[in-house]
PDB file of all heavy atoms in Angstrom:
ATOM      1  N   VAL A  84       2.292   1.021 -13.131  1.00 98.00           N
ATOM      2  CA  VAL A  84       3.060   0.924 -11.889  1.00 98.00           C
ATOM      3  C   VAL A  84       2.656  -0.381 -11.227  1.00 98.00           C
ATOM      4  O   VAL A  84       1.520  -0.537 -10.773  1.00 98.00           O
ATOM      5  CB  VAL A  84       2.794   2.103 -10.934  1.00 98.00           C
ATOM      6  CG1 VAL A  84       3.788   2.046  -9.772  1.00 98.00           C
ATOM      7  CG2 VAL A  84       2.903   3.437 -11.653  1.00 98.00           C
ATOM      8  N   SER A  85       3.574  -1.313 -11.188  1.00 97.00           N
ATOM      9  CA  SER A  85       3.314  -2.639 -10.620  1.00 97.00           C
ATOM     10  C   SER A  85       3.787  -2.692  -9.172  1.00 97.00           C
ATOM     11  O   SER A  85       4.627  -1.902  -8.751  1.00 97.00           O
ATOM     12  CB  SER A  85       4.053  -3.699 -11.449  1.00 97.00           C
ATOM     13  OG  SER A  85       3.946  -4.981 -10.867  1.00 97.00           O
ATOM     14  N   ALA A  86       3.238  -3.658  -8.416  1.00 94.00           N
ATOM     15  CA  ALA A  86       3.687  -3.839  -7.034  1.00 94.00           C
ATOM     16  C   ALA A  86       4.773  -4.899  -6.935  1.00 94.00           C
ATOM     17  O   ALA A  86       5.180  -5.258  -5.833  1.00 94.00           O
ATOM     18  CB  ALA A  86       2.510  -4.211  -6.129  1.00 94.00           C
ATOM     19  N   ASN A  87       5.228  -5.399  -8.059  1.00 93.00           N
ATOM     20  CA  ASN A  87       6.412  -6.261  -8.065  1.00 93.00           C
ATOM     21  C   ASN A  87       7.028  -6.281  -9.458  1.00 93.00           C
ATOM     22  O   ASN A  87       6.447  -5.782 -10.425  1.00 93.00           O
ATOM     23  CB  ASN A  87       6.094  -7.678  -7.559  1.00 93.00           C
ATOM     24  CG  ASN A  87       5.220  -8.477  -8.519  1.00 93.00           C
ATOM     25  OD1 ASN A  87       4.812  -7.990  -9.578  1.00 93.00           O
ATOM     26  ND2 ASN A  87       4.929  -9.713  -8.146  1.00 93.00           N
ATOM     27  N   GLU A  88       8.213  -6.852  -9.552  1.00 95.00           N
ATOM     28  CA  GLU A  88       8.932  -6.875 -10.826  1.00 95.00           C
ATOM     29  C   GLU A  88       8.321  -7.868 -11.816  1.00 95.00           C
ATOM     30  O   GLU A  88       8.392  -7.684 -13.031  1.00 95.00           O
ATOM     31  CB  GLU A  88      10.404  -7.244 -10.588  1.00 95.00           C
ATOM     32  CG  GLU A  88      11.158  -6.272  -9.692  1.00 95.00           C
ATOM     33  CD  GLU A  88      11.437  -4.940 -10.348  1.00 95.00           C
ATOM     34  OE1 GLU A  88      11.203  -4.809 -11.563  1.00 95.00           O
ATOM     35  OE2 GLU A  88      11.867  -4.010  -9.641  1.00 95.00           O
ATOM     36  N   GLU A  89       7.715  -8.931 -11.282  1.00 95.00           N
ATOM     37  CA  GLU A  89       7.215 -10.015 -12.131  1.00 95.00           C
ATOM     38  C   GLU A  89       6.255  -9.538 -13.208  1.00 95.00           C
ATOM     39  O   GLU A  89       6.383  -9.904 -14.387  1.00 95.00           O
ATOM     40  CB  GLU A  89       6.530 -11.069 -11.261  1.00 95.00           C
ATOM     41  CG  GLU A  89       5.894 -12.201 -12.055  1.00 95.00           C
ATOM     42  CD  GLU A  89       5.122 -13.178 -11.180  1.00 95.00           C
ATOM     43  OE1 GLU A  89       5.199 -13.068  -9.937  1.00 95.00           O
ATOM     44  OE2 GLU A  89       4.439 -14.042 -11.744  1.00 95.00           O
ATOM     45  N   TRP A  90       5.280  -8.697 -12.825  1.00 96.00           N
ATOM     46  CA  TRP A  90       4.278  -8.290 -13.802  1.00 96.00           C
ATOM     47  C   TRP A  90       4.771  -7.192 -14.727  1.00 96.00           C
ATOM     48  O   TRP A  90       4.247  -7.021 -15.834  1.00 96.00           O
ATOM     49  CB  TRP A  90       2.983  -7.922 -13.090  1.00 96.00           C
ATOM     50  CG  TRP A  90       2.374  -9.159 -12.497  1.00 96.00           C
ATOM     51  CD1 TRP A  90       2.332  -9.500 -11.179  1.00 96.00           C
ATOM     52  CD2 TRP A  90       1.818 -10.251 -13.226  1.00 96.00           C
ATOM     53  NE1 TRP A  90       1.761 -10.747 -11.037  1.00 96.00           N
ATOM     54  CE2 TRP A  90       1.428 -11.229 -12.265  1.00 96.00           C
ATOM     55  CE3 TRP A  90       1.585 -10.513 -14.581  1.00 96.00           C
ATOM     56  CZ2 TRP A  90       0.834 -12.443 -12.639  1.00 96.00           C
ATOM     57  CZ3 TRP A  90       0.992 -11.713 -14.943  1.00 96.00           C
ATOM     58  CH2 TRP A  90       0.621 -12.660 -13.990  1.00 96.00           C
ATOM     59  N   MET A  91       5.810  -6.461 -14.331  1.00 98.00           N
ATOM     60  CA  MET A  91       6.449  -5.554 -15.275  1.00 98.00           C
ATOM     61  C   MET A  91       7.266  -6.374 -16.279  1.00 98.00           C
ATOM     62  O   MET A  91       7.284  -6.066 -17.484  1.00 98.00           O
ATOM     63  CB  MET A  91       7.346  -4.555 -14.539  1.00 98.00           C
ATOM     64  CG  MET A  91       7.870  -3.439 -15.425  1.00 98.00           C
ATOM     65  SD  MET A  91       6.560  -2.366 -16.091  1.00 98.00           S
ATOM     66  CE  MET A  91       6.226  -1.308 -14.690  1.00 98.00           C
ATOM     67  N   ASP A  92       7.922  -7.427 -15.794  1.00 97.00           N
ATOM     68  CA  ASP A  92       8.623  -8.340 -16.697  1.00 97.00           C
ATOM     69  C   ASP A  92       7.663  -8.941 -17.718  1.00 97.00           C
ATOM     70  O   ASP A  92       8.007  -9.122 -18.895  1.00 97.00           O
ATOM     71  CB  ASP A  92       9.284  -9.481 -15.907  1.00 97.00           C
ATOM     72  CG  ASP A  92      10.473  -9.017 -15.074  1.00 97.00           C
ATOM     73  OD1 ASP A  92      11.010  -7.928 -15.342  1.00 97.00           O
ATOM     74  OD2 ASP A  92      10.854  -9.755 -14.144  1.00 97.00           O
ATOM     75  N   TYR A  93       6.476  -9.258 -17.253  1.00 97.00           N
ATOM     76  CA  TYR A  93       5.437  -9.865 -18.104  1.00 97.00           C
ATOM     77  C   TYR A  93       5.161  -8.984 -19.323  1.00 97.00           C
ATOM     78  O   TYR A  93       5.087  -9.466 -20.459  1.00 97.00           O
ATOM     79  CB  TYR A  93       4.175 -10.047 -17.262  1.00 97.00           C
ATOM     80  CG  TYR A  93       3.024 -10.749 -17.949  1.00 97.00           C
ATOM     81  CD1 TYR A  93       2.898 -12.126 -17.892  1.00 97.00           C
ATOM     82  CD2 TYR A  93       2.034 -10.014 -18.622  1.00 97.00           C
ATOM     83  CE1 TYR A  93       1.819 -12.772 -18.502  1.00 97.00           C
ATOM     84  CE2 TYR A  93       0.968 -10.643 -19.233  1.00 97.00           C
ATOM     85  CZ  TYR A  93       0.857 -12.019 -19.164  1.00 97.00           C
ATOM     86  OH  TYR A  93      -0.203 -12.658 -19.772  1.00 97.00           O
ATOM     87  N   LEU A  94       5.038  -7.670 -19.087  1.00 98.00           N
ATOM     88  CA  LEU A  94       4.774  -6.754 -20.193  1.00 98.00           C
ATOM     89  C   LEU A  94       6.022  -6.503 -21.036  1.00 98.00           C
ATOM     90  O   LEU A  94       5.934  -6.328 -22.253  1.00 98.00           O
ATOM     91  CB  LEU A  94       4.228  -5.436 -19.661  1.00 98.00           C
ATOM     92  CG  LEU A  94       2.849  -5.496 -18.988  1.00 98.00           C
ATOM     93  CD1 LEU A  94       2.405  -4.103 -18.566  1.00 98.00           C
ATOM     94  CD2 LEU A  94       1.813  -6.118 -19.920  1.00 98.00           C
ATOM     95  N   ALA A  95       7.174  -6.499 -20.376  1.00 97.00           N
ATOM     96  CA  ALA A  95       8.425  -6.283 -21.113  1.00 97.00           C
ATOM     97  C   ALA A  95       8.665  -7.422 -22.110  1.00 97.00           C
ATOM     98  O   ALA A  95       9.091  -7.188 -23.249  1.00 97.00           O
ATOM     99  CB  ALA A  95       9.592  -6.180 -20.138  1.00 97.00           C
ATOM    100  N   LYS A  96       8.375  -8.641 -21.695  1.00 97.00           N
ATOM    101  CA  LYS A  96       8.562  -9.798 -22.583  1.00 97.00           C
ATOM    102  C   LYS A  96       7.631  -9.745 -23.783  1.00 97.00           C
ATOM    103  O   LYS A  96       7.896 -10.343 -24.817  1.00 97.00           O
ATOM    104  CB  LYS A  96       8.326 -11.086 -21.800  1.00 97.00           C
ATOM    105  CG  LYS A  96       9.429 -11.403 -20.798  1.00 97.00           C
ATOM    106  CD  LYS A  96       9.082 -12.614 -19.948  1.00 97.00           C
ATOM    107  CE  LYS A  96      10.173 -12.886 -18.910  1.00 97.00           C
ATOM    108  NZ  LYS A  96       9.823 -14.001 -18.002  1.00 97.00           N
TER     109      LYS A  96
END
Side-chain angles (χ1 to χ4, degrees):
V84 189
S85 174
N87 69 359
E88 299 289 351
E89 176 185 352
W90 292 107
M91 189 64 79
D92 290 342
Y93 184 90
L94 294 183
K96 289 174 182 176

